[in-house]
Amino acid sequence: MPRAILNLQDAADLRAVQGQWRFAPGFIPGQPNEGLVSQAEGSPARLPDYDDAGWEVCPDLTRWHSRGFTFAWYRIHVTLPETVHGQSMQGARLLFETCIDDYGEIWINGVCDRERGAIQGFNVPQRVLMTTEPQPGQRYTIALLAANGPLGQPGGAVFVRYAFLAFEWRTPGY
């Protein structure tokens, strides 16, 4: 299957999608105790209209954040370009691919694919279908919830190993 990748850690590819990563620690950023309370209804940071303008700009997703037990959010707004490496998107499908250290959830426009976008295991690569018909100018909000682990005795820190937009054409000669 022919494939093209936009690396969301590469400056040129970020410019192509008009994207900039932002980072904030906590399950609910800015709240005491990382926003961890009994019976939480969820974090508003997953929603596409959440205001992340005050968050830290995150030019390097691989930089370690917050050693010990923690949650953190990474967010980006992307706008699909006219072409991907000179190719039309016609006939392609669009996927988001990542590996979050240690555990992660993927929220696309406020929705988590509970089969692929929810925690899959310790440092497991994740791949979520965004659309079967990508169109130039389409805008997406990608929100990643990272958790340090193992939860019972976390080590290291949270970070994102990679983040890609993957375009796959279903027919040869795309």
Side-chain angles (χ1 to χ4, degrees):
M1 177 177 297
R3 207 172 134 84
I5 299 290
L6 291 176
N7 180 349
L8 297 180
Q9 292 174 267
D10 177 80
D13 287 350
L14 284 169
R15 281 191 301 278
V17 297
Q18 304 167 38
Q20 180 180 59
W21 284 101
R22 294 195 174 270
F23 167 85
F27 178 67
I28 301 176
Q31 295 296 309
N33 195 39
E34 296 193 8
L36 297 173
V37 296
S38 176
Q39 306 299 312
E41 293 290 324
S43 176
R46 73 187 190 282
L47 303 173
D49 59 353
Y50 181 82
D51 182 7
D52 60 16
W55 288 13
E56 172 187 339
V57 172
C58 185
D60 182 3
L61 295 175
T62 65
R63 188 178 109 218
W64 283 28
H65 292 278
S66 306
R67 289 179 176 261
F69 182 74
T70 194
F71 288 89
W73 285 95
Y74 298 84
R75 286 174 50 96
I76 189 171
H77 305 282
V78 298
T79 302
L80 298 186
E82 288 294 319
T83 61
V84 181
H85 301 300
Q87 298 295 320
S88 164
M89 291 179 224
Q90 185 175 4
R93 64 181 182 163
L94 173 60
L95 301 111
F96 177 74
E97 300 175 346
T98 191
C99 184
I100 300 167
D101 190 285
D102 293 306
Y103 302 106
E105 293 179 357
I106 302 168
W107 295 83
I108 307 291
N109 292 339
V111 176
C112 179
D113 175 335
R114 293 182 184 252
E115 289 183 32
R116 300 275 185 199
I119 293 172
Q120 302 292 309
F122 194 74
N123 289 299
V124 172
Q126 293 169 278
R127 177 175 153 107
V128 173
L129 178 66
M130 291 175 64
T131 182
T132 57
E133 296 182 15
Q135 300 296 318
Q138 280 181 318
R139 186 167 162 85
Y140 293 91
T141 299
I142 301 168
L144 307 177
L145 174 60
N148 197 12
L151 296 177
Q153 184 182 17
V158 295
F159 63 95
V160 178
R161 294 179 184 277
Y162 59 84
F164 302 139
L165 292 179
F167 295 82
E168 295 180 346
W169 286 266
R170 294 176 289 277
T171 56
Y174 60 104

